[in-house]
Amino acid sequence: MGWLFGNRRKRERATYSQLVSEPAPAARPAAALRSQPTPQQALDALRAGNDAFLRGENNLGHVRADDLDELQGGQYPIATIVGCADSRTPPTILFNQGFGRLFSIRVAGNTVDRRGLASIVYAVKHLHCPLVVVMGHTGCGAVAAAEAIVDGRAEMDPSLEAMIEPIIPAVLAARRSRPTNPAEAAVEENARVVAAKLATADTALAEALAAGTLMIVGAVKDMSSGRVRFLEIIGNGSPTPANQRAAVPA
């Protein structure tokens, strides 16, 4: 099928990073470069935004159309959110962020195919986005569908195979630890697996992690409360010595 996180095929053509020409330095205003947060600062901003959302201190009610004026020259998002398409999990609201703050890639089950990967690489390499968050959520229907296939309670629907198949390995991995709540464990493992694979999915991402300009982290949004819980962080925001850098698969 060619899914990056399903049945992966060897890439014979140039990567998206190689096909997109690098913008000239002058294309990105110096002021924007100075104001771009570090990976840790970006993560802290998302934590603070979710805390504000939970307190009912939502700033988005003050967002107006003319806020777009200052973004006409380009976008400088502080985070790329790889999230589920579920209508109850909008990143801008959950993290209390307005226009130009979040680069969102959403698909049922928060998995990543080649086009999704190209979007992430674009955000990191060309928009200098310092943080990638892979966010699942409790009660995810895509994960539930994968569980039903694993348990033999349902047959694979060919029209949904591309959505379900990439999630099945995470469901199986979560079951090995015999969790008390298999559904929530599968959601968490799915976010964790996708985040881990992104770290070596493209040279641009691996290089940004090694340079300390990128962090990748999984997260789970609780459907009942709206709280976002962050999982393990990949990358520490500091350069990695060359002899300790992970290789990117061919």
Side-chain angles (χ1 to χ4, degrees):
M1 292 175 55
W3 283 89
L4 177 63
F5 300 137
N7 295 326
R8 180 175 179 171
R9 294 182 297 185
K10 183 177 180 180
R11 286 180 288 182
E12 298 177 352
R13 295 184 293 178
T15 64
Y16 184 80
S17 302
Q18 295 166 332
L19 292 173
V20 178
S21 59
E22 186 73 36
R28 187 171 172 81
L33 283 170
R34 287 195 300 270
S35 63
Q36 194 73 341
T38 65
Q40 186 60 56
Q41 288 171 338
L43 180 57
D44 291 343
L46 296 191
R47 292 184 192 275
N50 186 238
D51 287 343
F53 165 73
L54 294 173
R55 294 193 302 268
E57 300 172 5
N58 195 320
N59 295 326
L60 298 182
H62 303 286
V63 173
R64 301 181 304 178
D66 58 11
D67 290 335
L68 288 168
D69 292 346
E70 64 184 50
L71 297 173
Q72 295 308 299
Q75 59 173 320
Y76 316 108
I78 66 168
T80 295
I81 309 297
V82 180
C84 183
D86 192 296
S87 61
R88 300 165 292 179
T89 61
T92 51
I93 294 176
L94 291 172
F95 294 118
N96 207 21
Q97 302 294 323
F99 290 132
R101 300 283 286 175
L102 301 180
F103 192 87
S104 296
I105 302 161
R106 300 179 64 185
V107 62
N110 48 275
T111 56
V112 177
D113 63 8
R114 293 185 184 280
R115 287 174 295 180
L117 176 62
S119 295
I120 297 167
V121 169
Y122 175 77
V124 171
K125 187 173 184 179
H126 299 286
L127 301 181
H128 307 279
C129 192
L131 178 67
V132 174
V133 177
V134 179
M135 185 175 69
H137 64 91
T138 60
C140 179
V143 174
E147 288 186 287
I149 298 298
V150 169
D151 293 339
R153 292 182 283 111
E155 294 184 0
M156 180 69 80
D157 181 341
S159 63
L160 300 179
E161 184 177 359
M163 176 188 77
I164 297 172
E165 184 186 41
I167 303 173
I168 289 177
V171 172
L172 294 172
R175 297 289 179 87
R176 295 190 190 106
S177 62
R178 299 184 181 279
T180 55
N181 190 325
E184 290 189 8
V187 166
E188 181 175 316
E189 184 65 16
N190 185 47
R192 183 181 286 113
V193 166
V194 174
K197 288 191 174 184
L198 281 177
T200 57
D202 188 275
T203 301
L205 303 184
E207 289 179 348
L209 285 168
T213 58
L214 174 69
M215 292 197 311
I216 301 174
V217 59
V220 175
K221 175 243 181 180
D222 185 273
M223 186 61 76
S224 61
S225 68
R227 181 173 298 280
V228 177
R229 177 170 56 90
F230 291 94
L231 307 176
E232 298 85 354
I233 297 172
I234 301 171
N236 58 12
S238 300
T240 302
N243 63 351
Q244 297 180 18
R245 297 178 184 178
V248 177

